[in-house]
Amino acid sequence: MNLRLIILPVDGSEHSRHAVEYAADLAGGMDAEIVVLNCQPPVPAFLGEPNFQQAVEYRDAEAEEILSPVRDYLSGLGLRFRDMAVEGAPGEAIADVAKAERADLIVMGSKGKTDLEGLVMGSVTHCVLHIAPCPVLVVR
């Protein structure tokens, strides 16, 4: 198997951090590029100004807070990567980015920040498993 591009959705959760480490190991061994992806909910336009702009700034700051340590980690390993924050329902957004990027693999955590304790698998992960255009590796 030859991996060219790995999609790595991150949300700052413990499972997400494990997925980062796993994806880094895979990418390093195969000289693959990683697309680090953070999904944020859309900001409703009905908020009006200045509330809309404040909500956008908060959302962007949250995405940066999640992406920054992953960027630092991957840079420290000398891996090829790029990152992006997208807006939308996470499961669908992850699958859409994987399709647009023609990804070979998605590596993601089994549960994220929004999942209730006790669930076997997170709802975003479950969604991605069903609609992804490529194989999905789920990391605990």
Side-chain angles (χ1 to χ4, degrees), residues 76-136:
L77 295 174
L79 297 173
R80 291 184 306 121
F81 73 93
R82 53 196 155 97
D83 62 70
M84 63 176 76
V86 296
E87 196 177 85
E92 294 172 11
I94 293 164
D96 289 346
V97 169
K99 183 177 180 180
E101 295 285 340
R102 302 181 66 150
D104 299 303
L105 180 68
I106 298 170
V107 177
M108 64 187 301
S110 59
K111 291 191 265 187
K113 280 186 168 180
T114 60
D115 297 321
L116 300 171
E117 285 300 317
L119 290 179
V120 175
M121 184 179 303
S123 58
V124 172
T125 305
H126 185 76
C127 176
V128 172
L129 283 169
H130 288 283
I131 65 173
C134 62
V136 179

Side-chain angles (χ1 to χ4, degrees), residues 53-92:
Q53 190 56 41
Q54 289 172 343
V56 167
E57 289 170 7
Y58 176 81
R59 180 199 64 201
D60 292 349
E62 184 174 334
E64 180 59 26
E65 186 177 314
I66 292 167
L67 291 169
S68 183
V70 178
R71 232 184 264 127
D72 293 344
Y73 178 75
L74 297 176
S75 290
L77 295 174
L79 297 173
R80 291 184 306 121
F81 73 93
R82 53 196 155 97
D83 62 70
M84 63 176 76
V86 296
E87 196 177 85
E92 294 172 11

Side-chain angles (χ1 to χ4, degrees), residues 3-8 23 26-27 32-35 105-107:
L3 296 177
R4 176 191 56 83
L5 184 71
I6 299 170
I7 302 294
L8 176 61
L26 279 173
E33 180 182 15
I34 299 174
V35 174
L105 180 68
I106 298 170
V107 177

